Amino acid sequence: DDVSTGSSELVGTWDMQTITSYYAGESPEVENPVDAYWVFTADKLTVHYKTDLANGQSVNYTYNSSSKELSIVGYPLYTVTELTKSTLVIRSQEIYGGYDVIKFKKR
């Protein structure tokens, strides 16, 4: 398996566009995220909220390009459903019949 601490396509600054939450048997709920962006380096992820200056702690992550699994310390397991030079879409692991889909645009 091609497991690495980073992916050249992931490295960079990604602005969160939308979070859509899906619950079992219900219509999806689209949430406008707090102005947030994620910064991937070769081995760290830092999540920033533009309205909160006291944030931005870096955590480790791994990305398996074969299985498309994105594992971030302290977060649920994600599956990368789309990754291009300008778009990143991730889906959280299903818990209790629900999951989130987060869409990003690269700066």
Side-chain angles (χ1 to χ4, degrees):
D1 286 342
D2 179 20
V3 179
S4 64
T5 56
S7 171
S8 60
E9 292 85 15
L10 278 179
V11 172
T13 301
W14 296 89
D15 290 311
M16 194 178 289
Q17 301 295 302
T18 60
I19 300 174
T20 305
S21 297
Y22 294 85
Y23 301 102
E26 297 181 21
S27 299
E29 294 180 12
V30 177
E31 301 175 19
N32 290 324
V34 178
D35 287 330
Y37 62 97
W38 291 15
V39 179
F40 285 94
T41 64
D43 61 347
K44 299 282 186 188
L45 167 65
T46 308
V47 177
H48 298 273
Y49 293 93
K50 295 176 186 174
T51 57
D52 182 1
L53 298 178
N55 68 55
Q57 182 176 2
S58 296
V59 296
N60 294 323
Y61 77 93
T62 58
Y63 176 62
N64 183 321
S65 60
S66 297
S67 67
K68 306 295 184 195
E69 289 182 344
L70 176 62
S71 178
I72 304 168
V73 174
Y75 288 81
L77 181 66
Y78 292 101
T79 301
V80 175
T81 59
E82 183 178 352
L83 178 57
T84 67
K85 290 182 180 183
S86 62
T87 303
L88 170 63
V89 180
I90 59 176
R91 176 186 162 151
S92 67
Q93 182 177 5
E94 191 165 323
I95 301 172
Y96 304 115
Y99 60 92
D100 294 324
V101 173
I102 308 173
K103 295 181 181 179
F104 298 86
K105 184 173 183 168
K106 195 168 196 177
R107 283 190 189 173

XYZ file of all heavy atoms in Angstrom:
849
model
N 0.828 -1.192 0.000
C 0.000 0.000 0.000
C 0.867 1.248 0.000
O 1.898 1.297 0.645
C -0.901 0.035 1.226
C -2.050 -0.960 1.141
O -2.350 -1.410 0.030
O -2.616 -1.286 2.186
N 0.399 2.253 -0.686
C 1.123 3.518 -0.751
C 0.646 4.408 0.396
O -0.187 5.270 0.220
C 0.875 4.180 -2.108
C 1.582 5.514 -2.237
O 2.539 5.761 -1.483
O 1.168 6.309 -3.092
N 1.150 4.157 1.592
C 0.800 4.972 2.749
C 1.911 5.984 2.945
O 3.069 5.629 3.019
C 0.633 4.108 4.019
C 0.303 4.988 5.210
C -0.432 3.055 3.812
N 1.539 7.221 3.015
C 2.546 8.261 3.202
C 2.061 9.253 4.229
O 0.902 9.281 4.586
C 2.822 8.979 1.873
O 1.660 9.654 1.425
N 2.980 10.081 4.692
C 2.591 11.128 5.627
C 2.028 12.326 4.896
O 1.594 13.274 5.519
C 3.784 11.567 6.490
O 4.838 11.970 5.623
C 4.241 10.476 7.409
N 2.013 12.281 3.606
C 1.444 13.377 2.843
C 1.240 12.993 1.407
O 1.620 11.929 0.965
N 0.596 13.832 0.695
C 0.380 13.648 -0.725
C 0.606 14.999 -1.373
O 0.111 16.011 -0.885
C -1.049 13.163 -0.984
O -1.312 13.183 -2.369
N 1.342 15.012 -2.459
C 1.639 16.295 -3.088
C 0.359 17.045 -3.454
O 0.334 18.268 -3.434
C 2.522 16.101 -4.312
O 1.880 15.278 -5.266
N -0.713 16.307 -3.774
C -1.976 16.969 -4.093
C -2.639 17.572 -2.855
O -3.375 18.535 -2.943
C -2.958 16.006 -4.773
C -2.540 15.575 -6.156
C -1.579 14.381 -6.135
O -1.465 13.721 -5.089
O -0.938 14.136 -7.159
N -2.394 16.972 -1.676
C -2.995 17.479 -0.440
C -2.266 18.703 0.103
O -2.891 19.575 0.703
C -2.977 16.401 0.651
C -4.066 15.351 0.642
C -3.848 14.361 1.784
C -5.440 15.961 0.745
N -0.962 18.770 -0.093
C -0.167 19.849 0.485
C -0.646 21.194 -0.045
O -0.792 21.390 -1.248
C 1.336 19.647 0.195
C 2.143 20.866 0.614
C 1.845 18.391 0.899
N -0.925 22.097 0.883
C -1.378 23.431 0.518
C -2.453 23.914 1.477
O -2.723 23.299 2.505
N -3.063 25.038 1.124
C -4.116 25.643 1.932
C -5.450 25.425 1.242
O -5.622 25.768 0.071
C -3.852 27.147 2.130
O -2.575 27.301 2.775
C -4.925 27.798 2.981
N -6.395 24.837 1.993
C -7.710 24.480 1.468
C -8.790 25.239 2.231
O -8.906 25.113 3.441
C -7.945 22.981 1.617
C -7.012 22.146 0.814
C -5.789 21.671 1.195
C -7.214 21.689 -0.516
N -5.230 20.935 0.187
C -6.095 20.928 -0.887
C -8.250 21.831 -1.441
C -5.964 20.331 -2.130
C -8.132 21.235 -2.676
C -7.000 20.498 -3.016
N -9.579 26.058 1.505
C -10.695 26.779 2.116
C -11.920 25.873 2.144
O -12.314 25.306 1.116
C -11.018 28.045 1.323
C -9.948 29.099 1.465
O -9.558 29.385 2.615
O -9.498 29.636 0.438
N -12.518 25.750 3.317
C -13.718 24.938 3.460
C -14.871 25.643 2.746
O -15.110 26.830 2.960
C -14.026 24.744 4.941
C -15.023 23.659 5.233
S -15.306 23.444 7.014
C -13.758 22.700 7.509
N -15.555 24.920 1.883
C -16.674 25.484 1.136
C -18.009 25.129 1.790
O -18.805 26.013 2.068
C -16.656 24.971 -0.308
C -15.386 25.309 -1.067
C -15.217 26.799 -1.265
O -16.069 27.449 -1.854
N -14.132 27.342 -0.766
N -18.264 23.835 1.997
C -19.508 23.395 2.625
C -19.273 22.137 3.439
O -18.353 21.377 3.169
C -20.613 23.076 1.590
O -20.152 22.037 0.736
C -21.010 24.296 0.788
N -20.128 21.958 4.424
C -20.222 20.698 5.157
C -21.671 20.255 5.003
O -22.588 20.998 5.339
C -19.914 20.849 6.653
C -18.509 21.366 6.886
C -20.122 19.518 7.366
C -18.214 21.661 8.346
N -21.872 19.047 4.501
C -23.215 18.490 4.389
C -23.294 17.287 5.309
O -22.490 16.363 5.190
C -23.528 18.075 2.935
O -23.309 19.198 2.077
C -24.966 17.614 2.804
N -24.245 17.321 6.229
C -24.428 16.222 7.170
C -25.585 15.357 6.707
O -26.657 15.868 6.369
C -24.721 16.761 8.576
O -23.619 17.504 9.040
N -25.348 14.065 6.688
C -26.364 13.107 6.291
C -26.711 12.252 7.503
O -25.823 11.720 8.161
C -25.844 12.198 5.167
C -25.587 12.939 3.881
C -24.366 13.584 3.671
C -26.551 13.015 2.892
C -24.119 14.265 2.495
C -26.309 13.698 1.707
C -25.095 14.321 1.518
O -24.852 15.007 0.351
N -28.000 12.149 7.789
C -28.475 11.330 8.893
C -29.378 10.249 8.342
O -30.117 10.485 7.376
C -29.234 12.180 9.922
C -28.382 13.275 10.498
C -28.505 14.584 10.068
C -27.432 12.992 11.474
C -27.700 15.588 10.586
C -26.627 13.986 11.998
C -26.771 15.276 11.556
O -25.968 16.267 12.069
N -29.359 9.076 8.931
C -30.137 7.935 8.442
C -31.611 8.301 8.312
O -32.237 8.764 9.260
C -29.972 6.744 9.381
N -32.143 8.123 7.099
C -33.562 8.334 6.871
C -34.013 9.778 6.803
O -35.201 10.053 6.771
N -33.084 10.719 6.784
C -33.458 12.133 6.742
C -32.803 12.811 5.546
O -31.835 12.320 4.994
C -33.007 12.836 8.029
C -33.675 12.309 9.275
C -33.214 13.048 10.520
O -32.715 14.178 10.411
O -33.360 12.485 11.613
N -33.343 13.948 5.168
C -32.749 14.744 4.098
C -31.437 15.323 4.599
O -31.287 15.597 5.793
C -33.675 15.879 3.683
O -34.887 15.368 3.192
N -30.473 15.533 3.694
C -29.202 16.118 4.140
C -29.394 17.545 4.633
O -30.262 18.270 4.163
C -28.328 16.080 2.887
C -29.261 15.937 1.750
C -30.496 15.273 2.266
N -28.579 17.905 5.597
C -28.575 19.265 6.112
C -27.291 19.936 5.659
O -26.203 19.458 5.964
C -28.625 19.262 7.639
C -29.903 18.722 8.215
C -29.896 18.747 9.734
O -28.998 19.378 10.328
O -30.794 18.127 10.320
N -27.403 21.023 4.929
C -26.214 21.747 4.476
C -25.901 22.817 5.500
O -26.752 23.625 5.857
C -26.435 22.376 3.080
C -25.218 23.193 2.666
C -26.721 21.301 2.052
N -24.688 22.797 5.987
C -24.237 23.791 6.952
C -23.242 24.705 6.265
O -22.362 24.235 5.553
C -23.543 23.117 8.134
C -24.399 22.134 8.886
C -23.606 21.428 9.964
O -22.538 21.921 10.366
O -24.071 20.371 10.405
N -23.391 25.980 6.466
C -22.351 26.898 6.030
C -21.297 26.887 7.120
O -21.579 27.262 8.255
C -22.904 28.306 5.826
C -23.803 28.379 4.620
O -23.546 27.720 3.622
N -24.859 29.154 4.711
N -20.102 26.425 6.798
C -19.094 26.311 7.849
C -18.641 27.676 8.347
O -18.764 28.679 7.653
C -17.947 25.593 7.154
C -18.126 25.903 5.719
C -19.605 26.047 5.496
N -18.167 27.660 9.576
C -17.474 28.836 10.084
C -16.324 29.057 9.113
O -15.767 28.103 8.575
C -16.951 28.569 11.504
C -16.183 29.764 12.032
C -18.096 28.195 12.424
N -15.964 30.287 8.863
C -14.875 30.540 7.926
C -13.638 29.777 8.357
O -12.873 30.243 9.201
C -14.570 32.038 7.837
C -15.627 32.796 7.073
O -16.240 32.195 6.177
O -15.820 33.981 7.363
N -13.447 28.594 7.791
C -12.347 27.728 8.194
C -11.500 27.364 6.993
O -11.978 27.366 5.854
C -12.886 26.460 8.847
N -10.245 27.067 7.284
C -9.372 26.532 6.241
C -8.393 25.563 6.872
O -8.072 25.660 8.047
C -8.664 27.648 5.469
C -7.738 28.523 6.280
C -6.366 28.277 6.317
C -8.225 29.620 6.984
C -5.515 29.101 7.044
C -7.381 30.441 7.717
C -6.027 30.170 7.736
O -5.184 30.975 8.465
N -7.993 24.580 6.072
C -7.058 23.561 6.511
C -5.762 23.747 5.756
O -5.772 23.985 4.547
C -7.598 22.168 6.243
C -8.783 21.755 7.075
C -9.590 22.562 7.829
C -9.298 20.436 7.213
N -10.573 21.816 8.425
C -10.415 20.514 8.068
C -8.929 19.206 6.697
C -11.152 19.379 8.415
C -9.673 18.088 7.049
C -10.770 18.183 7.902
N -4.636 23.622 6.460
C -3.323 23.723 5.830
C -2.604 22.383 6.006
O -2.337 21.964 7.125
C -2.480 24.861 6.455
C -1.098 24.922 5.794
C -3.199 26.202 6.336
N -2.351 21.716 4.878
C -1.600 20.465 4.871
C -0.153 20.760 4.504
O 0.109 21.454 3.528
C -2.153 19.497 3.814
C -3.454 18.840 4.170
C -4.659 19.387 3.766
C -3.468 17.651 4.887
C -5.851 18.763 4.067
C -4.661 17.020 5.197
C -5.859 17.581 4.788
N 0.785 20.233 5.300
C 2.186 20.188 4.911
C 2.477 18.718 4.618
O 1.565 17.890 4.598
C 3.109 20.726 6.024
O 3.007 19.868 7.168
C 2.747 22.162 6.390
N 3.723 18.370 4.432
C 4.063 16.985 4.111
C 3.658 16.016 5.211
O 3.351 14.857 4.931
C 5.557 16.864 3.837
N 3.614 16.468 6.477
C 3.299 15.533 7.557
C 2.362 16.079 8.627
O 2.021 15.377 9.561
C 4.580 15.055 8.228
C 5.366 16.194 8.861
O 5.063 17.374 8.592
O 6.295 15.911 9.628
N 1.918 17.315 8.491
C 1.055 17.930 9.506
C -0.161 18.573 8.861
O -0.121 19.026 7.713
C 1.804 19.028 10.285
C 3.015 18.566 11.043
C 2.644 17.886 12.323
C 3.912 17.571 13.120
N 3.640 16.761 14.269
N -1.245 18.614 9.642
C -2.456 19.339 9.265
C -2.731 20.355 10.350
O -2.698 20.027 11.540
C -3.653 18.389 9.136
C -5.022 19.065 9.063
C -5.163 19.895 7.787
C -6.131 18.051 9.173
N -3.015 21.586 9.942
C -3.400 22.632 10.869
C -4.755 23.169 10.423
O -4.917 23.563 9.272
C -2.373 23.775 10.892
O -1.073 23.220 11.120
C -2.692 24.779 11.985
N -5.729 23.139 11.342
C -7.070 23.639 11.050
C -7.183 25.032 11.638
O -6.880 25.248 12.809
C -8.149 22.708 11.644
C -9.538 23.278 11.405
C -8.032 21.310 11.052
N -7.624 25.978 10.826
C -7.775 27.368 11.252
C -9.220 27.817 11.074
O -9.846 27.495 10.074
C -6.902 28.307 10.395
C -5.447 28.046 10.502
N -4.664 28.604 11.479
C -4.616 27.284 9.746
C -3.413 28.203 11.313
N -3.364 27.398 10.281
N -9.699 28.553 12.048
C -10.986 29.220 11.933
C -10.694 30.710 11.863
O -10.072 31.263 12.779
C -11.894 28.889 13.120
C -12.302 27.439 13.122
C -11.579 26.491 13.837
C -13.388 27.011 12.364
C -11.940 25.155 13.810
C -13.744 25.672 12.331
C -13.029 24.760 13.056
O -13.373 23.436 13.017
N -11.114 31.361 10.801
C -10.736 32.753 10.566
C -11.219 33.685 11.667
O -10.634 34.726 11.892
C -11.272 33.208 9.213
C -10.646 32.464 8.045
C -11.275 32.869 6.734
C -10.733 32.020 5.604
N -11.413 32.288 4.340
N -12.294 33.315 12.369
C -12.840 34.185 13.409
C -12.231 33.925 14.777
O -12.538 34.623 15.717
C -14.364 33.995 13.504
O -14.636 32.609 13.765
C -15.045 34.437 12.233
N -11.381 32.907 14.897
C -10.782 32.551 16.185
C -9.265 32.573 16.037
O -8.685 31.684 15.441
C -11.267 31.164 16.609
C -10.726 30.744 17.971
O -9.989 31.530 18.601
O -11.050 29.634 18.398
N -8.642 33.580 16.598
C -7.197 33.718 16.446
C -6.430 32.736 17.325
O -5.260 32.483 17.095
C -6.775 35.148 16.768
C -7.372 36.220 15.855
C -6.912 37.605 16.316
C -6.975 35.985 14.414
N -7.071 32.166 18.345
C -6.392 31.250 19.263
C -6.631 29.803 18.834
O -7.207 29.011 19.547
C -6.886 31.477 20.681
N -6.237 29.475 17.635
C -6.368 28.104 17.164
C -5.203 27.802 16.252
O -4.291 28.573 16.110
C -7.709 27.881 16.447
C -7.799 28.629 15.139
O -6.956 28.478 14.269
N -8.808 29.453 14.976
N -5.256 26.666 15.616
C -4.208 26.342 14.671
C -3.186 25.366 15.176
O -2.044 25.403 14.753
N -3.573 24.475 16.088
C -2.638 23.459 16.556
C -2.461 22.413 15.463
O -3.416 21.912 14.895
C -3.156 22.805 17.827
C -2.202 21.773 18.376
C -2.682 21.189 19.690
O -3.757 21.519 20.184
N -1.887 20.332 20.262
N -1.215 22.065 15.183
C -0.912 21.091 14.138
C -1.027 19.671 14.680
O -0.665 19.410 15.826
C 0.502 21.303 13.601
O 0.601 22.564 12.983
N -1.562 18.775 13.843
C -1.681 17.356 14.183
C -1.119 16.533 13.030
O -1.031 17.007 11.890
C -3.144 16.942 14.468
C -3.683 17.650 15.697
C -4.034 17.192 13.263
N -0.748 15.306 13.330
C -0.241 14.403 12.302
C -1.393 13.834 11.480
O -2.514 13.713 11.970
C 0.534 13.246 12.938
C 1.796 13.717 13.614
O 2.471 14.621 13.142
N 2.116 13.102 14.729
N -1.083 13.472 10.244
C -2.057 12.791 9.401
C -1.319 11.817 8.499
O -0.108 11.943 8.283
C -2.875 13.784 8.565
C -2.150 14.340 7.360
C -2.266 13.734 6.111
C -1.331 15.455 7.463
C -1.593 14.239 5.007
C -0.656 15.963 6.366
C -0.792 15.345 5.135
O -0.117 15.837 4.046
N -2.058 10.845 7.982
C -1.540 9.955 6.945
C -2.595 9.836 5.865
O -3.799 9.969 6.132
C -1.198 8.542 7.478
O -2.359 7.967 8.063
C -0.062 8.595 8.487
N -2.141 9.608 4.658
C -3.041 9.446 3.522
C -2.611 8.218 2.738
O -1.457 8.095 2.348
C -3.018 10.682 2.624
C -3.864 10.528 1.383
C -5.233 10.327 1.485
C -3.296 10.572 0.126
C -6.012 10.172 0.355
C -4.073 10.424 -1.013
C -5.432 10.225 -0.889
O -6.212 10.065 -2.002
N -3.534 7.291 2.530
C -3.289 6.094 1.752
C -3.929 6.309 0.388
O -5.162 6.303 0.271
C -3.886 4.869 2.456
C -3.603 3.584 1.722
O -3.637 3.532 0.500
N -3.346 2.530 2.474
N -3.116 6.542 -0.638
C -3.655 6.863 -1.954
C -4.353 5.674 -2.606
O -5.184 5.860 -3.486
C -2.565 7.409 -2.872
O -1.535 6.459 -3.030
N -4.036 4.444 -2.175
C -4.703 3.267 -2.734
C -6.130 3.129 -2.213
O -7.067 2.948 -2.976
C -3.926 1.995 -2.401
O -2.655 2.035 -2.981
N -6.292 3.231 -0.892
C -7.620 3.082 -0.290
C -8.361 4.408 -0.168
O -9.535 4.432 0.173
C -7.506 2.448 1.092
O -6.846 3.337 1.984
N -7.652 5.508 -0.415
C -8.202 6.872 -0.305
C -8.550 7.245 1.133
O -9.350 8.139 1.375
C -9.429 7.066 -1.207
C -9.212 6.728 -2.656
C -8.209 7.648 -3.299
C -8.076 7.347 -4.783
N -6.919 7.942 -5.369
N -7.933 6.563 2.105
C -8.205 6.856 3.509
C -7.294 7.967 4.016
O -6.083 7.918 3.842
C -8.014 5.608 4.365
C -9.091 4.576 4.154
C -8.919 3.361 5.035
O -7.819 3.149 5.593
O -9.896 2.600 5.154
N -7.919 8.945 4.650
C -7.220 10.062 5.270
C -7.416 9.933 6.773
O -8.541 10.022 7.261
C -7.790 11.388 4.760
C -7.248 12.675 5.374
C -5.756 12.824 5.114
C -8.011 13.871 4.826
N -6.343 9.693 7.485
C -6.399 9.511 8.924
C -5.754 10.721 9.586
O -4.578 11.008 9.362
C -5.657 8.232 9.312
O -5.668 8.063 10.703
N -6.548 11.427 10.387
C -6.097 12.644 11.050
C -6.217 12.431 12.548
O -7.288 12.072 13.040
C -6.952 13.859 10.623
C -6.929 14.025 9.102
C -6.484 15.125 11.327
C -7.952 15.013 8.573
N -5.136 12.651 13.274
C -5.149 12.464 14.719
C -6.236 13.338 15.335
O -6.296 14.538 15.084
C -3.766 12.804 15.332
C -3.823 12.759 16.846
C -2.708 11.857 14.802
N -7.122 12.721 16.132
C -8.165 13.467 16.821
C -9.429 13.685 16.019
O -10.374 14.298 16.502
N -9.488 13.209 14.793
C -10.656 13.358 13.936
C -11.131 11.968 13.530
O -10.375 11.006 13.614
C -10.308 14.148 12.657
C -10.071 15.612 12.892
C -8.848 16.060 13.370
C -11.060 16.551 12.627
C -8.614 17.417 13.575
C -10.831 17.898 12.834
C -9.612 18.328 13.311
O -9.387 19.657 13.516
N -12.369 11.861 13.024
C -12.796 10.558 12.517
C -12.000 10.195 11.262
O -11.358 11.055 10.662
C -14.278 10.760 12.189
C -14.439 12.226 12.002
C -13.403 12.882 12.863
N -12.056 8.937 10.877
C -11.418 8.508 9.640
C -12.199 9.087 8.466
O -13.428 9.097 8.471
C -11.414 6.973 9.556
C -10.760 6.377 8.322
C -9.263 6.670 8.305
C -10.991 4.877 8.283
N -11.491 9.587 7.470
C -12.130 10.149 6.278
C -11.764 9.333 5.049
O -10.700 8.725 4.987
C -11.656 11.593 6.033
C -12.129 12.577 7.063
C -11.288 13.003 8.074
C -13.417 13.096 7.019
C -11.714 13.913 9.029
C -13.855 14.009 7.956
C -12.993 14.419 8.956
O -13.423 15.323 9.894
N -12.630 9.385 4.060
C -12.347 8.842 2.745
C -12.309 10.017 1.775
O -13.224 10.845 1.770
C -13.443 7.847 2.295
O -13.508 6.782 3.244
C -13.141 7.282 0.924
N -11.251 10.101 0.997
C -11.149 11.154 -0.010
C -11.947 10.698 -1.225
O -11.627 9.701 -1.862
C -9.677 11.418 -0.384
C -9.582 12.421 -1.522
C -8.896 11.908 0.830
N -13.026 11.419 -1.524
C -13.874 11.036 -2.653
C -13.528 11.814 -3.919
O -13.894 11.393 -5.008
C -15.368 11.216 -2.322
O -15.616 12.589 -1.996
C -15.775 10.320 -1.162
N -12.832 12.942 -3.755
C -12.359 13.714 -4.912
C -11.117 14.474 -4.497
O -11.090 15.108 -3.444
C -13.434 14.687 -5.400
C -13.034 15.467 -6.626
C -14.123 16.402 -7.141
O -15.262 16.349 -6.647
O -13.819 17.205 -8.042
N -10.086 14.417 -5.336
C -8.851 15.157 -5.077
C -8.258 15.562 -6.413
O -7.797 14.727 -7.175
C -7.856 14.319 -4.277
C -6.498 14.970 -3.975
C -6.669 16.288 -3.233
C -5.618 14.011 -3.188
N -8.339 16.874 -6.699
C -7.725 17.432 -7.892
C -6.813 18.565 -7.448
O -6.670 18.817 -6.252
C -8.791 17.976 -8.876
O -9.437 19.118 -8.288
C -9.836 16.911 -9.222
N -6.230 19.267 -8.384
C -5.359 20.394 -8.027
C -6.125 21.520 -7.347
O -5.538 22.329 -6.630
C -4.651 20.934 -9.271
C -3.624 19.969 -9.801
C -2.915 20.537 -10.998
C -1.888 19.528 -11.496
N -1.123 20.027 -12.612
N -7.461 21.578 -7.544
C -8.228 22.678 -6.975
C -9.373 22.253 -6.056
O -9.951 23.094 -5.386
C -8.800 23.546 -8.097
O -9.683 22.773 -8.900
N -9.705 20.967 -6.012
C -10.861 20.500 -5.243
C -10.494 19.314 -4.361
O -9.806 18.397 -4.801
C -12.003 20.077 -6.194
O -12.344 21.190 -7.032
C -13.229 19.629 -5.425
N -10.972 19.350 -3.128
C -10.830 18.240 -2.198
C -12.199 17.988 -1.586
O -12.840 18.920 -1.094
C -9.824 18.583 -1.091
C -9.736 17.620 0.096
C -9.272 16.228 -0.345
C -8.805 18.176 1.171
N -12.660 16.741 -1.654
C -13.916 16.357 -1.024
C -13.626 15.137 -0.152
O -13.052 14.158 -0.637
C -15.014 16.018 -2.059
C -16.312 15.628 -1.361
C -15.250 17.190 -3.010
N -14.005 15.238 1.121
C -13.782 14.124 2.028
C -15.103 13.735 2.690
O -15.987 14.573 2.895
C -12.714 14.438 3.095
C -13.094 15.648 3.944
C -11.357 14.633 2.460
C -12.123 15.942 5.084
N -15.214 12.449 3.002
C -16.407 11.928 3.665
C -15.966 11.266 4.959
O -15.032 10.458 4.969
C -17.096 10.901 2.764
C -18.279 10.243 3.415
C -18.832 9.146 2.550
N -19.670 8.268 3.362
C -20.687 7.595 2.902
N -21.004 7.645 1.636
N -21.389 6.825 3.709
N -16.637 11.614 6.061
C -16.291 11.022 7.341
C -16.819 9.599 7.426
O -17.739 9.210 6.711
C -16.851 11.846 8.502
O -18.265 11.783 8.521
N -16.220 8.846 8.314
C -16.660 7.483 8.568
C -18.100 7.525 9.079
O -18.470 8.407 9.847
C -15.740 6.867 9.608
C -16.025 5.453 9.951
C -14.997 4.912 10.943
O -14.133 5.639 11.428
N -15.092 3.646 11.249
N -18.904 6.560 8.656
C -20.296 6.511 9.092
C -20.377 6.100 10.557
O -19.778 5.118 10.975
C -21.088 5.528 8.234
C -22.564 5.623 8.456
C -23.366 4.922 7.377
O -22.972 4.968 6.198
O -24.381 4.326 7.739
N -21.102 6.902 11.326
C -21.311 6.637 12.741
C -22.805 6.771 13.015
O -23.403 7.800 12.693
C -20.509 7.617 13.622
C -19.018 7.505 13.317
C -20.774 7.380 15.096
C -18.164 8.547 13.994
N -23.403 5.731 13.575
C -24.833 5.717 13.891
C -25.686 6.057 12.676
O -26.689 6.748 12.772
C -25.155 6.660 15.049
C -24.369 6.369 16.292
C -23.458 7.294 16.778
C -24.522 5.168 16.964
C -22.713 7.016 17.931
C -23.779 4.883 18.109
C -22.886 5.808 18.581
O -22.151 5.537 19.703
N -25.260 5.625 11.500
C -26.041 5.830 10.292
C -25.870 7.190 9.644
O -26.505 7.486 8.642
N -25.018 8.030 10.195
C -24.823 9.359 9.622
C -23.361 9.613 9.293
O -22.475 8.931 9.782
N -23.140 10.598 8.428
C -21.782 10.970 8.044
C -21.790 12.398 7.512
O -22.850 12.962 7.231
C -21.214 10.005 6.992
C -22.005 9.955 5.715
C -21.686 10.794 4.644
C -23.082 9.089 5.574
C -22.425 10.758 3.476
C -23.818 9.045 4.408
C -23.487 9.883 3.357
O -24.226 9.856 2.196
N -20.611 12.985 7.390
C -20.451 14.337 6.853
C -19.635 14.285 5.566
O -18.721 13.478 5.438
C -19.704 15.244 7.837
C -20.478 15.505 9.111
O -21.714 15.611 9.039
O -19.843 15.619 10.175
N -19.962 15.177 4.646
C -19.173 15.385 3.436
C -18.685 16.831 3.481
O -19.486 17.756 3.611
C -19.994 15.131 2.152
C -19.199 15.509 0.920
C -20.445 13.675 2.089
N -17.359 17.001 3.407
C -16.764 18.339 3.478
C -16.089 18.637 2.151
O -15.288 17.848 1.669
C -15.738 18.439 4.617
C -16.350 17.957 5.940
C -15.228 19.880 4.746
C -15.354 17.866 7.079
N -16.429 19.789 1.570
C -15.859 20.209 0.297
C -14.927 21.401 0.520
O -15.270 22.336 1.241
C -16.957 20.591 -0.689
C -17.823 19.411 -1.060
C -18.895 19.783 -2.057
C -19.736 18.555 -2.371
N -20.808 18.859 -3.310
N -13.768 21.326 -0.133
C -12.741 22.359 -0.029
C -12.339 22.853 -1.412
O -12.451 22.128 -2.394
C -11.467 21.804 0.620
C -11.619 21.303 2.022
C -12.026 20.011 2.267
C -11.313 22.130 3.091
C -12.136 19.529 3.562
C -11.418 21.649 4.390
C -11.831 20.355 4.621
N -11.847 24.081 -1.446
C -11.254 24.637 -2.669
C -9.852 25.095 -2.306
O -9.638 25.772 -1.288
C -12.078 25.808 -3.185
C -11.562 26.361 -4.482
C -12.487 27.406 -5.060
C -11.933 27.846 -6.389
N -12.885 28.627 -7.140
N -8.880 24.744 -3.152
C -7.484 25.105 -2.879
C -7.239 26.569 -3.220
O -7.722 27.073 -4.223
C -6.552 24.221 -3.689
C -5.119 24.273 -3.197
C -4.305 23.174 -3.844
C -3.013 22.956 -3.109
N -2.254 21.845 -3.673
N -6.467 27.222 -2.369
C -6.113 28.633 -2.616
C -5.105 28.726 -3.736
O -4.289 27.901 -3.935
C -5.495 29.254 -1.378
C -6.504 29.595 -0.336
C -5.872 30.417 0.761
N -6.834 30.549 1.857
C -6.537 31.088 3.001
N -5.336 31.544 3.243
N -7.439 31.181 3.938
